[in-house]
């Protein structure tokens, strides 16, 4: 099965991400689409496994296979968690809706480490730009602040909000280079400190609910295996628990 077929025929969840989901879109902003596909279970019984992710087939489109998506979400990957909380959902079938109902199961206080670690990496790149060119890439600076705002509020409330809301204009001012580097550094330092404080009294659990997510994945894989399709009847019997050679 070709990768584009997996995305075209087996997507369970699709959304818009990037500036449009963040509430930071301006004229000419791209439309970044992200999705989750469920590879049919029998594909995993072959030596050549289905891909863990697929880029395309459309421009600015990227999709993950369900298991890989869940793995990354359980690790509190910022991009994955934000994808799961996009306000711009374009498609969700029954399995996709169940995935969305599990959003809380992926969240934990571990988001503090993963979000801030990513932010620190971006900060080092911005500082390198300042040393080399006298100024950072302000678009990247804007998104670093957006990420820190997001994790601070998530740790405070237990809810991940992707749209920046009232922070739109201050953040766009950063993107336009209307904020000085010292002002940006001060804002970034304050947000980092506030996120650290919020982490100590966050309503989020210490760990994600891995068992609940795994139960969902196993049930979904089993349902896929049992679907009518061009599979050998013997294989179907094994899936149902009959075993090879049993009636």
């Amino acid at each position: 099965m070709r990768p584009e077929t997996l995305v075209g025929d087996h997507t369970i969840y699709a959304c818009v991400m990037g500036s449009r989901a963040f509430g930071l879109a301006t004229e000419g902003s791209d439309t970044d689409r992200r999705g989750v596909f469920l590879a049919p279970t029998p594909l995993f019984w072959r030596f050549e496994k289905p891909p863990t992710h697929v880029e395309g087939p459309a421009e600015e489109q990227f999709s993950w296979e369900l298991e890989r998506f869940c793995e990354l979400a359980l690790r509190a990957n910022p991009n994955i968690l934000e994808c799961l909380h996009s306000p711009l959902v374009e498609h969700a079938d029954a399995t996709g809706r169940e995935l969305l109902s599990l959003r809380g199961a992926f969240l934990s206080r571990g988001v503090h480490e993963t979000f801030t670690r990513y932010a620190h990496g971006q900060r080092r790149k911005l500082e390198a730009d300042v040393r080399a060119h006298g100024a950072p890439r302000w678009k990247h600076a804007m998104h670093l602040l957006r990420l820190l705002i997001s994790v601070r509020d998530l740790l405070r409330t237990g809810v991940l909000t992707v749209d920046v809301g009232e922070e739109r204009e201050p953040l766009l001012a950063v993107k336009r280079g209307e904020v000085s580097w010292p002002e940006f550094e001060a804002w970034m330092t304050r947000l980092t400190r506030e996120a650290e404080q919020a982490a100590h009294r966050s309503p989020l659990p210490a760990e994600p609910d891995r068992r609940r997510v795994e139960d969902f994945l196993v049930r979904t894989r089993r349902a896929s295996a049992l679907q009518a399709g061009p599979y050998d009847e013997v294989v179907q019997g094994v899936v149902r628990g009959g075993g090879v050679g049993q009636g």
Side-chain angles (χ1 to χ4, degrees):
M1 186 175 290
R2 296 184 301 176
E4 57 268 29
T5 302
L6 286 170
V7 173
D9 295 350
H10 298 280
T11 290
I12 63 170
Y13 171 68
C15 67
V16 172
M17 281 305 300
S19 294
R20 297 192 183 280
F22 300 143
L24 292 169
T26 56
E27 185 177 353
S29 291
D30 293 332
T31 299
D32 300 321
R33 288 186 163 84
R34 301 292 180 264
V36 182
F37 62 90
L38 174 64
T41 299
L43 294 182
F44 291 91
W45 299 333
R46 303 174 180 177
F47 287 121
E48 184 178 355
K49 308 300 182 186
T52 58
H53 60 269
V54 174
E55 187 170 355
E59 291 186 9
E60 309 298 338
Q61 182 181 12
F62 193 95
S63 300
W64 295 268
E65 206 283 323
L66 176 62
E67 183 172 342
R68 178 60 173 166
F69 186 87
C70 289
E71 287 176 346
L72 292 173
L74 286 169
R75 297 177 193 170
N77 179 288
N79 292 326
I80 298 294
L81 291 180
E82 288 180 338
C83 177
L84 199 54
H85 290 77
S86 172
L88 303 177
V89 176
E90 293 191 317
H91 169 76
D93 65 8
T95 305
R97 291 191 295 273
E98 185 171 2
L99 175 64
L100 290 176
S101 75
L102 290 171
R103 285 183 292 196
F106 293 103
L107 296 178
S108 72
R109 290 195 293 274
V111 299
H112 179 246
E113 178 184 355
T114 56
F115 277 61
T116 55
R117 184 172 64 233
Y118 181 82
H120 289 158
Q122 292 302 304
R123 178 174 185 166
R124 288 194 294 270
K125 293 179 181 179
L126 294 173
E127 290 171 340
D129 287 339
V130 172
R131 289 193 298 270
H133 308 292
R137 287 171 287 183
W138 288 111
K139 179 179 179 180
H140 292 185
M142 175 191 72
H143 281 295
L144 186 157
L145 293 174
R146 180 201 62 76
L147 188 72
L148 288 173
I149 292 170
S150 178
V151 71
R152 179 201 62 186
D153 292 348
L154 170 56
L155 288 165
R156 284 177 173 176
T157 67
V159 177
L160 179 54
T161 303
V162 172
D163 192 298
V164 300
E166 295 179 355
E167 299 287 355
R168 171 181 164 85
E169 289 308 317
L171 288 172
L172 287 178
V174 173
K175 181 181 179 181
R176 292 191 296 265
E178 296 171 0
V179 175
S180 70
W181 176 250
E183 289 174 316
F184 168 80
E185 283 190 305
W187 191 357
M188 179 173 50
T189 299
R190 175 174 60 82
L191 289 172
T192 301
R193 182 178 64 252
E194 291 173 348
E196 177 72 31
Q197 293 169 346
H200 292 301
R201 52 181 181 272
S202 176
L204 291 173
E207 300 290 338
D209 194 341
R210 185 179 183 90
R211 179 174 296 182
R212 186 178 168 200
V213 174
E214 189 170 53
D215 174 71
F216 161 68
L217 180 63
V218 170
R219 286 188 290 102
T220 301
R221 287 272 190 252
R222 184 177 180 86
S224 171
L226 292 173
Q227 283 182 349
Y231 313 132
D232 192 291
E233 290 183 3
V234 173
V235 173
Q236 290 287 310
V238 171
V239 172
R240 291 188 174 90
V244 177
Q246 298 183 22

